[in-house]
Amino acid sequence: MSKNIGQLHVTIRAATVRERPCGNGGWRGTAPVAPLRSRLRFIVLILALAWGGACRVACAANELGPGGEVINGAGAEDAADESNKYLGSVYKDEVAGIVIAPPAGSRVVARAGRELMSFVNEAKQWVGSVQSLTLKDKMDVKQYMQQSVDALNKEFRGVQIDDRKEIQFQTFEAGRLTTKFSGGEGGKGQTGKITLYRQDLVVRTGDNQFMLLTMYTPLKDRAEAEKTFDAMIKSFVILDKKVVAEKRYAASLLGKKWLADRSAEELKTKLSSTPQVFRIQVGGMGGKPGSDVGFVRFDAMEKQQKEGPGVMLVVSTRTWPADGAVQGANIAFWRYKRDGKEDRPGYSTWENSTKYLKRGENLPGGKYTFWYTEFGILMEEGNTRLDEATLKELQKEREDLLQRRDIPADRIPPAIEPIQKMNHLIVSYAGDPTQGFNDPNKGTDVRIPEIRPAVLPKILEYTWTRVVDLSKPSEMLFVVYNSATRKLAMRTFSVVGPSVITLDGRSVSCVKCTDEMESASTTLWVDGSGKVLKMLTSDQSMLSSAAWDDVAKMWRTREEFGVWERGAGTGMGVEGGGGGRGGPSLGGLL
């Protein structure tokens, strides 16, 4: 992270943390830019363990691809010119109720509380956020903008208002506010204060509720920043939560139907015994590749476990920040459905492991290692009696739906019976005791009734595009275990439609799919068989299909690569760090 970017964030945080219109609003500033090492750990956790999380599905706004291309929507031709030059891929968070395309080359960070999301373009030193504010007192847009200016005047000298006007945004009262003021110190080769240019879109969503889109840039970038902010506003949508709820319910019904027809036997026929490898590149601009930092490798096989035969997928990830290495592995297993002529209850497992290695002159032996492993089991259980609290909760949900006149009769859940089939989910953890691993989260042991959305076997989080109908658009929602938050989450898979991408300098026809989990996102481009060709995450990390020999040649000089390739030790190359619950280690599998 450059000195200049760091100071810009300090400046912005000083402004945003202290701004409190009428003393009742207040919001958090954007967080400092994460160093590369932290970002690579995130890649290992999210990409290697759960595909990166999330999707951008078609919505009321124009959906933009990673290169800014307009996928759908009114005014597509006009928007295409702007988005191709100024905007990156669409960010969508249905829980927060927002859709927006941040500036091209930006890395998006999901937030919580008032700050719904933030973005940063490190190369240009641009930062911004979307925030949701609830004030104590009623306030109109004009009053809010004046209070915001007053707050800036208390923090900075020479605050100037470039523009302030009230506008209409969607169905809401709104305002545009642009200001400039002196901020933090300049970067290398610069002296004195840097002048910041701030643009705000203030949207009044209730008597005392506001949605705020803010972007800070150096004043010297004013012309481009204004055009970019205008394009962002055109992409920005505040979702109707009732419509979203109805859409998600329909997606959950489709997900149940789809999963009921799937089996490990079917998946086996769609997988290749040849490993599939992806280069991991970060720092790209507008969807273009950045610098190579590592790779992901997928190995599929048939495997006999003590619970029976099934399909196994091994996902291996290696990334190399400047000060060491981050190693990840995920072993996902799904048991065959048929045992002779009888159907067996669903059964699947996974094991996620991560190892950190850091070098430094002041570290003992020059190295520091830490490993962490997550074990998961998902199994169907026979009819089980619901406890009283769960039964009441489900009955209330059904009663609420019955009172809604806009819900068709075929969308109303059946009467909630005390006896239900259950999906039993068990997750436990282990870590390096020499590094003081003491996780307060003791694990998860829950039973999810069949009335809820279907619970997805972990292996399908990676391979769903192989067994979904790619010929028509669709959207399916499932319950999954989120390894990043260590909680249950909703995950949505969508088939968007035909697309064209560039691979190795040539145009390739493919199908675009999206994957959404909470506020992280991944766009996937697959061939007609569902084989992934390229992926792009919401933080602009690019994964491109590559030949194993080329990737091996690129990283073979790294010590950790050699240890992993030889299959020494357990799955993570750390004693006690893999193969838990009697599961396999990576040694001997690859």
Side-chain angles (χ1 to χ4, degrees):
M1 179 179 70
S2 70
K3 179 181 179 182
N4 204 4
I5 271 286
Q7 291 166 337
L8 180 61
H9 271 287
V10 170
T11 300
I12 292 170
R13 190 169 184 81
T16 56
V17 167
R18 294 182 178 88
E19 289 184 53
R20 297 186 181 277
C22 292
N24 301 317
W27 52 82
R28 299 184 304 168
T30 53
V33 178
L36 179 60
R37 178 179 177 82
S38 298
R39 186 174 178 188
L40 296 184
R41 290 182 182 179
F42 174 81
I43 292 172
V44 168
L45 178 62
I46 300 300
L47 294 177
L49 306 188
W51 261 147
C55 78
R56 294 172 293 276
V57 291
C59 58
N62 293 326
E63 185 183 11
L64 308 177
E69 71 276 15
V70 175
I71 304 302
N72 72 299
E77 293 181 0
D78 293 337
D81 291 338
E82 295 177 340
S83 60
N84 277 325
K85 186 174 182 180
Y86 301 114
L87 300 182
S89 52
V90 165
Y91 172 92
K92 180 178 181 180
D93 185 345
E94 289 188 337
V95 176
I98 60 172
V99 178
I100 191 167
S106 296
R107 179 166 53 86
V108 175
V109 180
R111 301 293 182 189
R114 294 188 178 97
E115 188 172 289
L116 305 179
M117 63 84 75
S118 66
F119 60 87
V120 57
N121 185 319
E122 293 151 326
K124 292 183 177 180
Q125 302 182 38
W126 292 11
V127 295
S129 64
V130 177
Q131 300 162 24
S132 177
L133 312 177
T134 300
L135 309 181
K136 183 177 180 181
D137 301 319
K138 180 179 178 179
M139 186 183 299
D140 61 27
V141 171
K142 184 177 180 179
Q143 291 172 320
Y144 183 93
M145 289 193 291
Q146 183 57 52
Q147 290 293 334
S148 183
V149 172
D150 293 343
L152 284 173
N153 276 312
K154 292 179 181 179
E155 296 296 332
F156 301 96
R157 293 182 178 179
V159 176
Q160 299 180 40
I161 300 174
D162 267 22
D163 189 24
R164 175 168 52 182
K165 60 186 176 184
E166 297 179 53
I167 63 173
Q168 186 77 14
F169 178 80
Q170 293 179 205
T171 58
F172 305 104
E173 299 175 10
R176 289 284 301 272
L177 175 66
T178 56
T179 54
K180 57 186 178 183
F181 47 87
S182 295
E185 298 293 335
K188 186 177 180 181
Q190 302 178 16
T191 58
K193 299 284 185 179
I194 60 174
T195 303
L196 300 178
Y197 189 59
R198 167 170 158 166
Q199 300 181 79
D200 289 297
L201 171 68
V202 179
V203 183
R204 186 174 183 240
T205 57
D207 286 347
N208 64 335
Q209 295 176 321
F210 290 84
M211 194 80 78
L212 181 68
L213 169 61
T214 303
M215 183 168 75
Y216 293 85
T217 62
L219 181 61
K220 65 181 179 63
D221 295 338
R222 173 176 175 171
E224 183 183 1
E226 287 179 344
K227 292 178 181 178
T228 301
F229 198 70
D230 287 343
M232 287 176 62
I233 290 175
K234 292 178 181 178
S235 78
F236 187 35
V237 177
I238 299 175
L239 300 174
D240 185 320
K241 294 190 175 181
K242 290 184 178 179
V243 173
V244 170
E246 169 67 9
K247 181 181 175 184
R248 287 167 70 87
Y249 181 66
S252 71
L253 294 181
L254 183 59
K256 281 186 178 184
K257 183 179 184 301
W258 177 82
L259 185 57
D261 295 332
R262 306 279 73 82
S263 67
E265 288 90 337
E266 177 195 22
L267 182 60
K268 176 179 178 292
T269 66
K270 303 294 180 70
L271 297 178
S272 172
S273 59
T274 303
Q276 188 173 11
V277 183
F278 294 88
R279 297 164 63 182
I280 302 176
Q281 298 168 312
V282 300
M285 297 290 288
K288 296 180 180 179
S291 302
D292 278 276
V293 296
F295 67 88
V296 180
R297 172 170 164 164
F298 294 82
D299 289 79
M301 64 211 72
E302 191 173 22
K303 197 69 177 178
Q304 175 70 43
Q305 296 284 72
K306 62 181 180 181
E307 295 81 11
V311 178
M312 178 173 288
L313 185 71
V314 179
V315 185
S316 309
T317 307
R318 297 294 183 273
T319 55
W320 283 276
D323 59 350
V326 186
Q327 306 177 32
N330 182 324
I331 304 171
F333 171 79
W334 193 16
R335 186 175 65 183
Y336 288 145
K337 187 175 184 178
R338 302 287 291 180
D339 181 11
K341 296 182 179 181
E342 299 293 328
D343 282 349
R344 293 185 294 191
Y347 181 88
S348 61
T349 64
W350 75 87
E351 177 183 333
N352 295 341
S353 299
T354 303
K355 174 186 175 183
Y356 305 131
L357 182 148
K358 184 176 182 180
R359 297 184 179 88
E361 295 180 358
N362 298 325
L363 298 175
K367 293 185 178 181
Y368 168 92
T369 60
F370 173 80
W371 64 264
Y372 169 84
T373 304
E374 169 191 292
F375 309 99
I377 297 176
L378 173 63
M379 50 188 170
E380 290 182 6
E381 294 186 346
N383 290 344
T384 306
R385 180 170 292 277
L386 294 170
D387 62 77
E388 185 175 353
T390 302
L391 186 60
K392 286 183 178 179
E393 179 184 359
L394 292 174
Q395 288 173 336
K396 184 179 185 307
E397 289 180 6
R398 183 173 185 273
E399 289 170 2
D400 291 342
L401 287 174
L402 287 170
Q403 293 176 7
R404 289 180 55 181
R405 297 182 179 180
D406 58 332
I407 301 294
D410 61 351
R411 295 289 181 87
I412 301 297
I416 310 300
E417 301 294 337
I419 304 265
Q420 289 260 322
K421 286 185 178 179
M422 295 286 185
N423 281 289
H424 192 176
L425 181 67
I426 305 171
V427 184
S428 58
Y429 313 94
D432 183 358
T434 67
Q435 303 301 331
F437 178 84
N438 183 22
D439 195 331
N441 190 330
K442 300 302 181 183
T444 297
D445 188 342
V446 296
R447 287 177 170 84
I448 304 169
E450 62 179 349
I451 198 67
R452 298 293 193 191
V455 186
L456 196 71
K458 178 67 70 173
I459 196 170
L460 286 176
E461 294 182 21
Y462 308 100
T463 58
W464 67 277
T465 58
R466 295 297 186 102
V467 287
V468 74
D469 184 356
L470 297 171
S471 66
K472 58 184 179 181
S474 64
E475 180 176 319
M476 303 181 296
L477 181 141
F478 305 92
V479 172
V480 298
Y481 184 78
N482 186 340
S483 297
T485 62
R486 300 179 193 175
K487 298 178 181 178
L488 296 181
M490 295 297 181
R491 189 159 186 170
T492 307
F493 296 144
S494 298
V495 177
V496 178
S499 183
V500 177
I501 59 173
T502 301
L503 288 178
D504 299 326
R506 59 189 179 88
S507 295
V508 177
S509 297
C510 57
V511 178
K512 180 181 177 182
C513 299
T514 55
D515 176 4
E516 177 181 21
M517 181 166 63
E518 296 179 338
S519 53
S521 63
T522 299
T523 302
L524 306 92
W525 291 267
V526 303
D527 65 14
S529 69
K531 178 182 178 182
V532 177
L533 303 174
K534 186 168 70 172
M535 294 177 279
L536 181 68
T537 69
S538 56
D539 74 343
Q540 300 300 298
S541 298
M542 178 78 76
L543 285 84
S544 300
S545 183
W548 172 245
D549 289 345
D550 292 340
V551 170
K553 183 178 179 181
M554 185 182 302
W555 299 107
R556 197 176 296 280
T557 58
R558 302 286 180 148
E559 178 183 351
E560 298 76 40
F561 182 91
V563 171
W564 167 78
E565 190 179 36
R566 292 191 297 272
T570 63
M572 293 306 301
V574 180
E575 185 171 354
R581 293 188 178 274
S585 67
L586 285 180
L589 282 180
L590 303 181

